Amino acid sequence: MKHYLIFLILPLLLSQGCSKDDWTLSSPDNFITLEVRLDDEGSLHYSLSNRGNEVIESSPLGIRFEETEFVNNLSLISSGKKHGQEDTYELLIGKRKVNDALWNELELNLKNEEGKKMQVNFRLFDEGLAFNYVFEEPEGKSYTLVEELTGFRIPQGSYAWMHPYDDGTGYTPAYEAFFENKIPVGTAAISWAFPMLFHTGTDWLLITEADHQDGDVGLSVNGTPIDRLYTLKLPPEEEAYGLYPSQPTLELPFKTPWKVIITGSDLGVIVESNLVYHVSTPNILSDISWIKPGRSSWSWWSERMSPRDYNRLKEFVDFSAEMGWEYSLVDARWTEMEGGTAKELTEYANSIGVDIILWYNSGGPHDSVMAEPRDLMHISEIRRKEFQKISEWGVKGVKIDFFKSDKPCILSQYHGILLDAADFNIMVNVHGSTIPRGWERTYPNLMTMEAVRGAETYIFGRTYSERAPVHNTILPFTRNVIGPMDYTPVTFSDARFPKTTTHAHELALAVLFESGHQHFADSDHSYRAQPSFVIDYLKQVPVTWDDTRFVDGFPGEWVVVARRKGGAWYMSGIQGLDEKKDIKLRLDFLPEGTYEVKLISDGDDPDSFDFERLSVNAGEDISVEMLPRGGFAAVIDRK
């Protein structure tokens, strides 16, 4: 992987046409405008507009530490702008392989009454804004965060799609609450979680955080916004059983994570954006040739006792080989396996071209879940010995579960795991976890993260069957925007609580939900029982993409996304409504030419499929009928 960073640095000038305490910056395409103001009390504020429509009204900036604060009585040292900055980089997973970032930048250097300095960096892209705080002096000292005063004031009359931050329990927080569907801005909760999606009536915006370094903290959002102003809060002290402080103590120099605001006039800007990665630390691993995204069988969803049964696991390995899938995931309690060992299973799988992923408990004292293996992932020396052992067996990946907090100590654990795993050529999937924060760019061995109410909820969530169809239509506009999502999709059979989606809806999730390791949750028996064209589709469906396009939809109702691999486009759509939906889809994302469309759609009933081949030209429409809570999956190849 190569990274290119080209700077076209213009002279550092104060914003023309403004006083020395007001600054304006435009995006490279001049559609988005940032305004920053230092008021008479020395407090900093910003606002953001898209094509003249305000998407963030005047909102505060500032930060308070135990040692000092940068809130009021700030004064300007200097300001400067840099235009035409570029960065081209590649990702192993995600919405597109090659990414081109272009931005203009505003840098403000300020001091407080004590003479201590703070820099605020604003990067304005054609798809939104990112900003952070930088502290460089006094070097060698440390600051302990008390409060970040950054706010987001959303325009009156806006609607939101966001989910409450989890209360701390034996399994949470884990970002697994349902997204609320089109609620009025200002709706109260105990706390809200990132990402947050808003529609102002004219524009869309999604707000999240990115690029948390070792020692940073993950913030949530105060649940009762005053006058539509959403502000930030530290993790509750009672998280992780009250262990570890919520306040990070950071040694200077340091920078805070980026606040990211993706915005545009249509939902395509949100769904297609990689702004989280644009501002994240580039790859720090020297060799990534061993990292292989792929598809995996998974026995636990359909048979919870199977990780203890060598012979049953062997059948799932055989099924992966039959399907051409790269992996088979062995879940909790594999240390209690009967009939064979995990080492023997790995040797067998490797002999037929399948690699093994093993589950681990993240605990440690912060986790009360006793599922084994545990107490192997929270201390680096112990963790490295375990990684060395399973690497020698031939294991290629780990799934690590139950992190349950965004306190600094827990976020540091992710960094340690990813670095240690890379030393032994181990890929990582985290569950019971925080949200994606751009780390997939920094550590390309991070293949996927849970942080979603996924298909496993059919096992323990009494209301999931009812809510899943609408929930699924919200995720491509929210959670999956910010990074890979281990939803564990494509469940045709029923778990404890039966699904209400159609089989075609479930099949569509294989492409609609992006994940570097896609764990197909259903059993080998269920998949083999499907029509041959469905089996063929699951054999060939990729998990890495050269490009992604939003085709149509609206969160909470329906969504269609197309992803390209080589010359083929995989287009999938679902709907969450209780009545049939007929849609016409314009294929204007295709280069000029004639194409064959292999379309798998809803059959006569929810558990059947229809299959047809169509010949179309680029720019033409195709018609698809979806049953209530239905869907479709299509493969489009040039003739």
Side-chain angles (χ1 to χ4, degrees):
M1 179 182 295
K2 295 182 179 179
H3 303 279
Y4 303 90
L5 184 61
I6 304 171
F7 291 97
L8 178 60
I9 304 178
L10 299 182
L12 302 182
L13 299 172
L14 291 175
S15 301
Q16 297 181 0
C18 298
S19 74
K20 69 187 178 103
D21 294 334
D22 295 87
W23 301 269
T24 301
L25 184 71
S26 295
S27 59
D29 63 8
N30 291 313
F31 290 146
I32 302 178
T33 302
L34 168 71
E35 295 184 4
V36 184
R37 180 172 63 92
L38 189 63
D39 66 19
D40 293 340
E41 297 180 351
S43 297
L44 203 61
H45 304 265
Y46 77 104
S47 61
L48 191 68
S49 299
N50 178 49
R51 301 174 190 259
N53 301 314
E54 204 164 34
V55 295
I56 298 287
E57 297 178 355
S58 182
S59 300
L61 297 166
I63 196 164
R64 180 176 288 118
F65 302 103
E66 287 183 355
E67 297 78 8
T68 189
E69 64 178 44
F70 298 86
V71 181
N72 301 311
N73 300 310
L74 300 175
S75 58
L76 180 69
I77 299 172
S78 65
S79 66
K81 294 181 181 179
K82 301 173 186 177
H83 289 83
Q85 304 211 63
E86 299 180 61
D87 185 12
T88 297
Y89 61 94
E90 293 187 3
L91 296 172
L92 291 184
I93 63 172
K95 301 167 191 174
R96 65 187 56 85
K97 180 179 180 181
V98 179
N99 295 270
D100 295 304
L102 176 66
W103 70 92
N104 296 331
E105 187 164 328
L106 169 66
E107 177 186 293
L108 300 181
N109 292 289
L110 306 158
K111 63 181 179 180
N112 64 13
E113 284 186 302
E114 303 170 72
K116 294 181 178 178
K117 297 176 183 179
M118 174 180 74
Q119 182 183 105
V120 189
N121 287 331
F122 302 90
R123 292 184 180 181
L124 198 53
F125 302 77
D126 291 344
E127 59 197 289
L129 169 69
F131 61 89
N132 68 356
Y133 306 92
V134 179
F135 301 90
E136 296 182 343
E137 299 177 2
E139 189 170 347
K141 301 293 185 179
S142 64
Y143 287 162
T144 298
L145 178 66
V146 173
E147 182 182 14
E148 184 175 330
L149 284 85
T150 302
F152 311 92
R153 192 183 306 277
I154 309 301
Q156 183 74 39
S158 300
Y159 288 92
W161 290 258
M162 54 192 185
H163 71 79
Y165 187 77
D166 295 323
D167 293 332
T169 71
Y171 295 92
T172 59
Y175 294 86
E176 293 180 6
F178 287 109
F179 276 85
E180 298 297 327
N181 183 22
K182 197 179 180 182
I183 57 176
V185 66
T187 299
I190 296 175
S191 299
W192 294 107
F194 291 121
M196 306 187 297
L197 176 70
F198 298 95
H199 187 216
T200 68
T202 58
D203 298 277
W204 295 89
L205 65 155
L206 182 138
I207 303 173
T208 193
E209 293 187 301
D211 200 36
H212 293 63
Q213 303 297 308
D214 189 354
D216 283 333
V217 64
L219 302 176
S220 59
V221 179
N222 283 304
T224 309
I226 299 173
D227 193 22
R228 298 165 282 109
L229 178 67
Y230 291 87
T231 55
L232 304 175
K233 61 189 296 187
L234 291 163
E237 286 294 339
E238 60 267 23
E239 277 187 12
Y241 302 106
L243 299 171
Y244 324 123
S246 291
Q247 298 174 240
T249 297
L250 302 160
E251 292 194 8
L252 286 91
F254 68 88
K255 63 177 183 178
T256 68
W258 295 91
K259 301 298 176 289
V260 175
I261 305 171
I262 304 168
T263 189
S265 302
D266 63 81
L267 280 162
V269 174
I270 305 296
V271 173
E272 298 172 16
S273 174
N274 263 346
L275 186 48
V276 165
Y277 292 127
H278 290 352
V279 296
S280 293
T281 302
N283 168 35
I284 64 172
L285 305 183
S286 58
D287 175 25
I288 60 172
S289 61
W290 51 272
I291 301 172
K292 307 293 182 186
R295 302 144 306 169
S296 180
S297 61
W298 181 39
S299 70
W300 182 88
W301 188 88
S302 56
E303 302 174 38
R304 255 87 67 208
M305 299 300 291
S306 59
R308 307 181 195 185
D309 186 342
Y310 174 87
N311 291 317
R312 189 68 183 105
L313 291 171
K314 188 168 174 287
E315 291 175 347
F316 274 86
V317 168
D318 290 338
F319 181 66
S320 283
E322 177 185 323
M323 295 294 289
W325 296 348
E326 293 81 2
Y327 301 101
S328 190
L329 169 60
V330 180
D331 218 276
R333 302 191 187 279
W334 55 266
T335 49
E336 303 168 21
M337 194 181 302
E338 297 179 356
T341 66
K343 180 181 179 182
E344 291 169 340
L345 183 70
T346 302
E347 291 171 349
Y348 172 75
N350 292 168
S351 74
I352 60 172
V354 176
D355 287 317
I356 292 295
I357 300 168
L358 291 178
W359 183 95
Y360 284 86
N361 191 323
S362 77
H366 68 274
D367 179 22
S368 63
V369 179
M370 299 309 295
E372 294 284 352
R374 59 163 290 144
D375 298 318
L376 297 173
M377 289 292 137
H378 67 295
I379 297 173
S380 181
E381 182 181 2
I382 297 172
R383 183 168 62 223
R384 290 180 66 84
K385 287 181 180 178
E386 185 69 11
F387 286 155
Q388 180 178 4
K389 178 184 75 175
I390 63 173
S391 177
E392 290 171 354
W393 291 357
V395 171
K396 296 300 193 296
V398 291
K399 171 184 173 182
I400 306 177
D401 212 340
F402 305 131
F403 289 85
K404 302 193 305 186
S405 178
D406 283 350
K407 288 182 174 182
C409 185
I410 304 299
L411 290 195
S412 291
Q413 187 180 2
Y414 292 99
H415 289 275
I417 285 170
L418 291 163
L419 282 169
D420 288 344
D423 285 344
F424 298 95
N425 291 5
I426 298 288
M427 292 167 283
V428 179
N429 164 18
V430 290
H431 265 232
S433 69
T434 190
I435 55 173
R437 301 181 180 278
W439 293 333
E440 297 82 8
R441 182 180 179 190
T442 311
Y443 308 101
N445 60 323
L446 177 56
M447 307 311 296
T448 191
M449 307 178 76
E450 188 183 26
V452 67
R453 200 164 186 84
E456 69 177 21
T457 317
Y458 283 118
I459 298 169
F460 55 80
R462 190 170 299 278
T463 65
Y464 193 72
S465 297
E466 176 187 349
R467 298 191 64 173
V470 168
H471 176 64
N472 290 348
T473 70
I474 296 173
L475 294 175
F477 300 105
T478 52
R479 165 60 183 85
N480 217 181
V481 170
I482 63 173
M485 183 174 75
D486 196 24
Y487 178 99
T488 61
V490 192
T491 53
F492 298 133
S493 60
D494 287 335
R496 179 184 175 197
F497 300 106
K499 67 182 179 66
T500 59
T501 55
T502 70
H503 274 23
H505 179 120
E506 293 298 318
L507 184 66
L509 302 183
V511 166
L512 193 62
F513 294 165
E514 181 271 320
S515 178
H517 278 171
Q518 191 72 284
H519 296 99
F520 294 118
D522 215 338
S523 71
D524 49 348
H525 304 311
S526 176
Y527 290 131
R528 286 195 182 101
Q530 304 311 314
S532 60
F533 55 82
V534 171
I535 296 173
D536 289 343
Y537 178 85
L538 289 173
K539 284 181 176 180
Q540 70 180 33
V541 66
V543 300
T544 60
W545 307 104
D546 296 314
D547 199 6
T548 292
R549 300 291 181 88
F550 170 68
V551 179
D552 210 347
F554 191 88
E557 296 182 13
W558 64 296
V559 57
V560 181
V561 170
R563 304 189 194 272
R564 180 175 63 83
K565 179 69 171 181
W569 284 90
Y570 291 75
M571 184 170 66
S572 290
I574 59 172
Q575 69 129 334
L577 305 177
D578 290 336
E579 62 269 359
K580 289 184 178 180
K581 186 173 185 64
D582 296 323
I583 56 174
K584 283 191 175 181
L585 302 171
R586 175 145 298 187
L587 304 181
D588 53 6
F589 55 87
L590 297 175
E592 186 175 346
T594 301
Y595 295 82
E596 179 188 60
V597 179
K598 290 180 283 190
L599 176 64
I600 305 173
S601 56
D602 290 314
D604 294 332
D605 61 74
D607 293 343
S608 66
F609 297 95
D610 188 33
F611 177 72
E612 58 183 321
R613 296 176 184 267
L614 307 171
S615 180
V616 299
N617 294 315
E620 290 184 348
D621 293 342
I622 63 170
S623 297
V624 181
E625 180 185 89
M626 290 188 280
L627 291 180
R629 302 169 301 282
F632 72 91
V635 182
I636 307 172
D637 281 301
R638 186 187 291 271
K639 281 191 171 182

